Structure formats: structure tokens, C-alpha cells
Amino acid sequence: MNVTPRPILKPFLRTLAGEASERPPVWLMRQAGRYLPEYRATRAEAGSFLDLCYNPALAAEVTLQPIRRYGFDAAILFADILLIPHALGQELAFREGEGPVLGAIRTEGELVKLRLEGLHQRLAPVYEAVSRIKAALPAETALIGFAGAPWTVATYMLEGRGGNEQAAAKTWAFGNPAGLDRLISLLVEATCAYLDQQVRAGAEVVQLFDTWAGVLPDEQFQRYCVLPVKMIVNRLKALHPDLKIIAFPRGAGLHLDGYAAATGVDALGLDYTMPLAWARDHLWSRGITVQGNLDPRLLLVGGPQMAQAVQRLLRHFAGRNYIFNLGHGILPETPPQHVEQLMQLLRGATRMA
Ligand code: CP3
């Protein structure tokens, strides 16, 4: 049989396949969120943040809101990295102004309370949201599924909340590495199963968020950040050979190029501290796609300061396989007009080309 490969039509997917473009595709981490009045209205309708995550119709609606407003090249599923601990049986609540609060795990013995059984039943509304989003997206817009990387998810599970440099998980990493291995292995299983289902439901790309990758010394970074992500990448690629995987190991700094080589991800999200010249010299030589890294606070400031930084990014990455994004999530107090201004700057790049 003579099979001609189908051309990839979505700009975001072409860039992830290694193609350079004049106008970089763009999406923004936390593009659906509190800075948008329509998001705040839908969350109020849902009742709470978690009710919103588990309501397929409303989760699909908030995923699509920023696509309608700005025409981003990719939509990211609306959910949270902490739905996995919740589905494994850990208590979870999001408190206004306080962030997530989990029923903290204090001892290794308490890990037996976490169960993989029933995972898909509890996460079924998320898969349903993925199908609904996929059906509603414009033909040129790609759909990103996501999960937290095991280390970052473990830090919240052991700390019970954010902040504090994730001290509890680091204490396990040094004091009870075998116990932490046990939790990380469980999270690798859960994450593979969860992302596999997201892909089956229609996600074309997945991103792994490792927000706390930057707090570990080298040896522990290899064991808890690199190895688990490598296992997830291998498993998902065996199941879905065409799937593209992006990792965002925030704060990984000089570890990044070794991380790219060892994990086999297709693209790396750069946080806003990474020098662009370093990325050019160390990452493109590996053929990897780079995503990032405008400081979200510059988007909040807007105006000429933001415009200058955007132009600098565009100049630096011109003619390369580059995805425009922020170096971390949009800040809730960002004026939506600044995102409009950003999109005009990025679209202007087409007209100039
Ligand atoms: O638009 C998108 O990017 C998709 C949805 C998304 C959310 N969280 C929704 C959300 C994604 C991809 C995440 C990832 C996530 N969640 C991460 C990794 C990325 C990062 O920001 O570092 C982390 C660490 C979490 C855990 C989490 N969720 C925290 C610590 C908090 C509280 C802090 C905060 O930003 O409010 C959340 C809440 C959360 N997740 C909100 C949203 C829109 C705000 C909740 C609200 O509406 O009140």
C-alpha cells in the first residue's frame, strides 16, 4: 500500500516537529484563568475551582475562552496538576487567596492509602472535557493535555500546600529516598495512565509541569526529576509514537541540556531566568524545540517595556523552531488588553516578514 504521510496543518504541531517559522506559534501558560472576566464568571457559575475542573462542559468553556478572545495557536486543557493526588485518594481543597490545601502525608506508612484503582472513574470528567474541547476547536488550533511531573506533584502531596521551598519533599529525598521512590513510582504509573487517556480523548501534545525542578541538588535532580520523566516519555511514546511531549522543568538552569538528552522530550519550556544565548547554543544543537520565556510580570507591565522584550525574543529566535510563551503562568492581575497588545506584536511579525 502506498501511504503518503498526511501534511501537518497546525502551525503549533509543525514547530514541534522541528520546522522553523517566520511567525512563531503562541500560547500562554495559564491562558485560561483569573485575569479574564469571563473565566471568573464561569468559575462562579461552577461554584468552586474544583467543581469547575470536574465539570466537562464548563471546563471546556473556560479552555475555549482565551482561544476565542486571542486566537492562540494552542489550547491547554483546563484542569490542575493536583487532580492526580485527589484521584489517588488524597484530600484536596482550593481556598481563596491561599491556594491548594491537601491532607498531608507525614509517614511512609500513609502511602498505602493512595490507590490507583478507580483513577479513571474519578478523572473521567477530565477526559470528557478533552473530547468536548477537541470537537469545538478551530481546525488550526492544537490541543495540549498536561500533568504535573512526579516530583512537583509529590512536593505538594508531602507538604500539604505550596511555598516553603517544598521542604517536606526535600527532607524525604535526603532522609527517606526509598520512601520517596515509592511515591514517585506510583505517580509515574498514574501520570502515564492519565495522559494516555487524555491522548485517546483528543490531546495532540502533552506538557509536563515540573514547577519545583529547581530546588534539588544534582544527584536528587537526576533521580526525582530526570528519571521519572524519562519513564513517562518512553511509555507514552511507545503507546503513541507521534505524540509530542513538552517539559517545563522550572529553575533547572544548567541541567536543561542534559535533561533534554536524557528524557527524550520534543520541546523544553524555558523559565524567564534562562539566557537566550544559552538556549540557542545548547538546545538547538540537539534539534529540540524551545518554548518561552517572557517574564509574566512584563506582560503585566505592558507598554514599550514589554514590546522591547518581545522584539528581542523574536529577533533571537527568528528562523528557528520556537514557540512563543511566558517563562511562567500569567499573573491574575494582568490586564487582558496587554495580552491583546502582545498578540498584535506577534502578528505584526508576520506582516514584517
Ligand atoms: O490555562 C492553563 O494553563 C490550564 C490550566 C492550569 C491550571 N493549573 C489552572 C489553575 C494548569 C496547566 C495548571 C498547572 C499547575 N497547577 C501547576 C504547574 C504550573 C505552575 O503554575 O507552576 C501548579 C504548581 C499547580 C498547582 C496550583 N493550582 C497552585 C499552586 C494553585 C494556586 C496558586 C494560583 O495560581 O492560584 C492552583 C490554582 C489554579 N490552577 C488556578 C487556575 C486557573 C487558580 C484557581 C482559581 O481560579 O482560583
Side-chain angles (χ1 to χ4, degrees):
M1 202 168 50
N2 188 4
V3 182
T4 330
R6 259 184 308 152
I8 305 171
L9 297 175
K10 302 185 183 192
F12 181 74
L13 299 182
R14 284 211 300 268
T15 304
L16 279 173
E19 234 180 76
S21 68
E22 285 307 324
R23 176 183 89 76
V26 51
W27 70 282
L28 303 178
M29 290 192 279
R30 290 281 173 101
Q31 65 193 20
R34 286 159 293 182
Y35 75 108
L36 289 178
E38 58 269 37
Y39 168 82
R40 296 195 297 269
T42 311
R43 191 185 61 177
E45 188 188 335
S48 73
F49 174 71
L50 271 183
D51 291 328
L52 178 55
C53 289
Y54 290 125
N55 181 322
L58 296 184
E61 166 58 23
V62 292
T63 302
L64 296 166
Q65 285 168 350
I67 306 302
R68 284 188 210 117
R69 223 188 227 257
Y70 303 114
F72 293 123
D73 293 286
I76 181 161
L77 161 70
F78 188 86
D80 197 84
I81 65 165
L82 300 179
L83 298 189
I84 285 206
H86 198 214
L88 290 172
Q90 197 172 13
E91 276 170 44
L92 172 67
F94 282 84
R95 300 208 183 121
E96 198 63 51
E98 210 186 321
V101 182
L102 297 97
I105 295 163
R106 302 274 170 233
T107 62
E108 193 179 339
E110 292 176 64
L111 294 178
V112 297
K113 290 194 272 183
L114 302 170
R115 303 227 165 258
L116 278 169
E117 295 85 69
L119 187 90
H120 289 315
Q121 285 91 306
R122 299 193 73 167
L123 293 169
V126 177
Y127 312 144
E128 169 69 22
V130 173
S131 322
R132 286 176 184 238
I133 299 160
K134 187 66 179 293
L137 274 181
E140 69 280 10
T141 315
L143 177 53
I144 308 171
F146 76 91
W151 162 250
T152 286
V153 175
T155 68
Y156 287 98
M157 294 178 80
L158 299 175
E159 191 76 39
R161 60 187 60 234
N164 199 23
E165 289 290 291
Q166 313 309 84
K170 277 188 75 170
T171 303
W172 279 57
F174 297 129
N176 183 6
L180 184 55
D181 281 340
R182 228 173 112 189
L183 175 56
I184 295 275
S185 300
L186 180 71
L187 289 171
V188 167
E189 290 305 315
T191 307
C192 287
Y194 181 49
L195 290 176
D196 173 43
Q197 288 301 315
Q198 289 187 26
V199 174
R200 287 171 197 273
E204 298 162 291
V205 172
V206 298
Q207 176 155 322
L208 289 163
F209 287 89
D210 215 347
T211 304
W212 295 101
V215 301
L216 289 174
D218 187 34
E219 189 186 322
Q220 285 72 21
F221 178 81
Q222 302 303 331
R223 181 161 172 172
Y224 298 116
C225 292
V226 176
L227 222 67
V229 167
K230 180 184 171 156
M231 288 168 76
I232 294 169
V233 170
N234 286 345
R235 290 261 283 280
L236 288 176
K237 293 232 173 200
L239 292 167
H240 307 283
D242 296 332
L243 178 68
K244 298 295 178 200
I245 304 178
I246 308 171
F248 176 58
R250 188 176 69 118
L254 297 180
H255 286 299
L256 276 175
D257 78 357
Y259 180 96
T263 58
V265 294
D266 301 281
L268 275 182
L270 296 188
D271 66 58
Y272 54 80
T273 67
M274 285 310 292
L276 305 183
W278 188 91
R280 184 191 55 214
D281 296 345
H282 293 84
L283 298 178
W284 268 297
S285 53
R286 298 192 178 283
I288 206 153
T289 295
V290 168
Q291 172 177 284
N293 74 343
L294 187 78
D295 194 314
R297 200 159 288 278
L298 266 167
L299 183 60
L300 183 143
V301 168
Q305 293 88 340
M306 174 180 87
Q308 247 175 31
V310 170
Q311 296 302 351
R312 197 171 145 254
L313 272 164
L314 291 178
R315 269 200 310 278
H316 208 88
F317 292 141
R320 295 177 189 266
N321 44 327
Y322 166 62
I323 296 163
F324 192 94
N325 206 317
L326 302 176
H328 200 188
I330 298 185
L331 297 164
E333 56 279 25
T334 304
Q337 315 84 272
H338 292 188
V339 180
E340 192 58 55
Q341 184 200 352
L342 171 68
M343 292 307 280
Q344 276 161 14
L345 288 165
L346 294 173
R347 299 236 158 91
T350 334
R351 287 194 290 274
M352 275 155 45

